[in-house]
Amino acid sequence: MPQTRVAVVGSANMDLIGTAAALPRPWETVLGDDFVMLPGGKGANQAVAAVRAGASCVFLGAIGSDAFGVTLKARITAAGVDTGHLRVVYGPSGVALVMVGGAGEHAILVTPGANGAFTNLTEGELAAVREADVLVAQLEVPVETVTAAALAARSAGTRVVLNAAPARPVPAELLAATDLLVVNQTEARALTGRGADEPGALLELVPRAVLTLGGDGAWYVERDRPAVHVPAVKVDVVDSTAAGDAFTAALAVAWGEGRELVEAVHWAAAAGAACVRKLGASVALPRRVEIDELFSRPA
């Protein structure tokens, strides 16, 4: 089986992660249990996840000129991701403040830093997109950048997987260039005004979509085909922070390998389940052997 070539356009952040028995409510201070500092950001996470799932991957994004930026590039490169096009922008890198509760639930505040300056894709960056089998993008960098990458991919026959997260308006031009949309319930409602009981509403925007439901699995919908519910793989949840990134990356890799999309969603669900068993984002992203083990587990 040829190795899937994935290009990821997205964010890189330093994740500052604190754990506690319960998350604080507004105006409340709680005592935490532990603290770790790990590379993250949806773009970087999905790039690392794609490599661990068996793809080759080039990451297009921006880091700051600070110490966080040095660490981010070193860690992403060490994971096997091609960072030859990763920009360094003067100023701070993106930072995510992550709070994880005792049941694995989390709350995240992201400050974009250099990610917000990732604009005006160069010809070299666009060429990297065109040479890939699959483009994976999210919305933690300027949407104009994501749109330009998607249009370049579409012109070259590269499949476009858009993880429309975080929830924000998505221009019609970007949706028109999207082959497969991946959203959770909050993001789906932001795009369509409708929730998990109407996954088919996403097909008014794109030809194919996956609506993730956390512990309730996911819906796969495609125009002119019945909707398919894919159950979640049951595991003990430690931290759900990067589960969506593991899911999206694995889905793109499996599709690039030629799997039918329903099977690809099942494999992606196994990747998401493998991820939630560990604390942290990038360190929890599963390797292919872990995904395959859960994928082959009897229902």
Side-chain angles (χ1 to χ4, degrees):
M1 180 186 300
Q3 188 177 41
T4 299
R5 299 169 299 170
V6 175
V8 174
V9 171
S11 60
N13 297 321
M14 187 60 75
D15 290 351
L16 309 180
I17 306 168
T19 64
L23 300 182
R25 295 167 294 186
W27 312 109
E28 180 182 24
T29 299
V30 301
L31 287 175
D33 301 317
D34 202 0
F35 172 78
V36 292
M37 185 171 69
L38 300 167
K42 284 190 170 296
N45 286 347
Q46 291 178 15
V48 172
V51 169
R52 291 185 179 175
S56 65
C57 182
V58 58
F59 177 48
L60 308 176
I63 53 176
S65 57
D66 55 0
F68 284 167
V70 174
T71 301
L72 283 168
K73 183 171 184 177
R75 296 282 188 88
I76 298 167
T77 303
V81 176
D82 180 352
T83 56
H85 292 283
L86 184 59
R87 299 184 192 178
V88 178
V89 176
Y90 181 78
S93 298
V95 172
L97 307 177
V98 184
M99 297 182 293
V100 181
E105 75 279 19
H106 61 268
I108 305 174
L109 172 65
V110 177
T111 57
N115 297 304
F118 183 47
T119 58
N120 300 318
L121 291 175
T122 67
E123 185 51 44
E125 291 165 338
L126 292 171
V129 169
R130 297 187 189 104
E131 291 165 4
D133 298 309
V134 184
L135 168 68
V136 178
Q138 325 78 34
L139 300 177
E140 287 186 337
V141 297
V143 70
E144 296 82 6
T145 303
V146 177
T147 302
L151 292 175
R154 173 56 62 90
S155 71
T158 297
R159 291 170 170 169
V160 178
V161 176
L162 175 64
N163 178 205
R168 58 188 294 191
V170 180
E173 189 177 26
L174 174 54
L175 291 170
T178 297
D179 296 297
L180 176 61
L181 179 68
V182 182
V183 289
N184 64 20
Q185 295 177 74
T186 299
E187 294 145 8
R189 188 171 293 280
L191 288 173
T192 68
R194 284 168 276 183
D197 56 336
E198 296 184 75
L202 294 166
L203 298 180
E204 298 172 10
L205 306 174
V206 294
R208 305 169 196 85
V210 177
L211 174 58
T212 61
L213 307 171
D216 292 326
W219 281 103
Y220 172 67
V221 292
E222 183 176 343
R223 289 175 184 165
D224 302 321
R225 291 185 57 180
V228 178
H229 179 258
V230 175
V233 179
K234 301 303 181 185
V235 295
D236 293 329
V237 177
V238 175
D239 178 9
S240 61
T241 302
D245 296 331
F247 181 101
T248 300
L251 179 62
V253 172
W255 196 23
E257 290 176 349
R259 301 195 196 201
E260 291 293 329
L261 268 166
V262 172
E263 179 186 348
V265 175
H266 277 276
W267 200 67
C275 183
V276 303
R277 298 185 295 186
K278 301 175 185 177
L279 176 66
S282 58
V283 296
L285 297 168
R287 300 188 182 278
R288 191 178 184 98
V289 64
E290 299 174 81
I291 303 171
D292 284 340
E293 186 272 324
L294 287 181
F295 177 68
S296 61
R297 178 186 291 182

